[in-house]
Amino acid sequence: MDKPKIILLASGNPHKIEELSQVLNPLGIDLKSTRNFEDAEEVIEDKPDLEGNALKKARYWHQFTGLPSLADDTGLEVDVLDGAPGVYSARYAGEGVTYDDNVNKLLKELSGKNNRTARFRTVVAFVTDTGEYLFEGICKGEIISEKRGEKGFGYDPVFVPEGYTQTFAELSSDEKNKISHRGRAVEKFIEFISEA
Ligand code: IMP
């Protein structure tokens, strides 16, 4: 595969766009996002695993734009809950719920449980004219019993990464990105694209 000049990110999230632009631009790669295309359909994330959803989004956007397309999907996998909420992390407490609702449900499910180990897992899918590629990033840690910290989003206030005492919501975004599931998956993708 030749190094692409443009990559489409299948997301409209300004943080993800900014973060990825910063690492791709020095490689001479311009990043477009779903914000550059108005008449696209919403891709429903209805696959049973993170790989399926990431690939579904990347395939749709590759077909729609003709550009090499990148998509990610993330889940929080809690051991004592057999990997839940996993692929359902965004809607653990139901459709249209807030981050706080999901965190509260998680704390309820874990109340009285001693084993609180968990991991965030991100799958990044990259679809081009010549192939489909998957990159995985994992961050292990544990779920504490009360929320701490104001930064970040989602389950950050109750997730303490391995080797740390602070939650993700207490770490700066730079510190979090260095060790996070998404940071690690993106790092693998950047390595791959740098060598193309
Ligand atoms: P997405 O695939 O990035 O949209 O993530 C799905 C869901 O996982 C989000 O709605 C959050 O609840 C959760 N999530 C993803 N990444 C993180 C993170 O870095 N910290 C905390 N929660 C996250």
Side-chain angles (χ1 to χ4, degrees):
M1 187 188 73
D2 292 334
K3 188 179 288 167
K5 291 194 171 52
I6 305 177
I7 288 177
L8 182 284
L9 177 64
S11 169
N13 180 323
H15 298 291
K16 289 187 185 177
I17 299 166
E18 173 62 23
E19 222 175 83
L20 200 59
S21 289
Q22 276 177 14
V23 278
L24 288 180
N25 292 351
L27 299 174
I29 301 170
D30 183 23
L31 188 71
K32 303 275 182 223
S33 78
T34 57
R35 292 177 172 244
N36 297 100
F37 299 87
E38 274 169 9
D39 47 349
E41 286 167 30
E42 193 198 344
V43 181
I44 309 291
E45 299 184 25
D46 56 359
K47 298 292 177 189
D49 51 36
L50 302 174
E51 286 77 2
N53 281 336
L55 265 176
K56 183 177 178 182
K57 285 186 278 183
R59 281 176 185 156
Y60 170 82
W61 279 95
H62 174 247
Q63 211 169 21
F64 184 68
T65 64
L67 295 169
S69 297
L70 192 69
D72 71 344
D73 200 23
T74 296
L76 174 67
E77 301 173 342
V78 180
D79 291 322
V80 76
L81 302 178
D82 294 327
V87 72
Y88 305 108
S89 293
R91 50 199 151 108
Y92 190 37
E95 295 294 338
V97 296
T98 64
Y99 288 141
D100 222 35
D101 295 332
N102 286 331
V103 170
N104 290 340
K105 166 150 169 120
L106 179 65
L107 292 180
K108 204 164 137 208
E109 295 290 331
L110 287 179
S111 93
K113 299 232 168 28
N114 289 328
N115 176 6
R116 307 186 63 106
T117 53
R119 60 183 197 165
F120 276 113
R121 195 164 72 89
T122 293
V123 173
V124 163
F126 186 51
V127 174
T128 73
D129 290 342
T130 52
E132 298 186 335
Y133 311 87
L134 290 175
F135 308 87
E136 184 187 57
I138 287 172
C139 182
K140 289 188 195 169
E142 60 178 31
I143 308 298
I144 56 169
S145 50
E146 278 176 19
K147 297 169 218 170
R148 279 198 341 238
E150 303 295 327
K151 303 187 188 93
F153 68 100
Y155 299 90
D156 280 350
V158 292
F159 184 83
V160 174
E162 213 170 69
Y164 287 74
T165 52
Q166 301 107 309
T167 65
F168 262 166
E170 292 175 314
L171 294 175
S172 70
S173 57
D174 273 358
E175 281 173 309
K176 180 184 166 188
N177 288 338
K178 267 186 223 147
I179 58 163
S180 83
H181 40 295
R182 200 169 12 262
R184 286 176 172 155
V186 167
E187 207 174 276
K188 286 187 192 165
F189 168 70
I190 297 296
E191 234 169 77
F192 166 82
I193 209 77
S194 307
E195 286 162 10

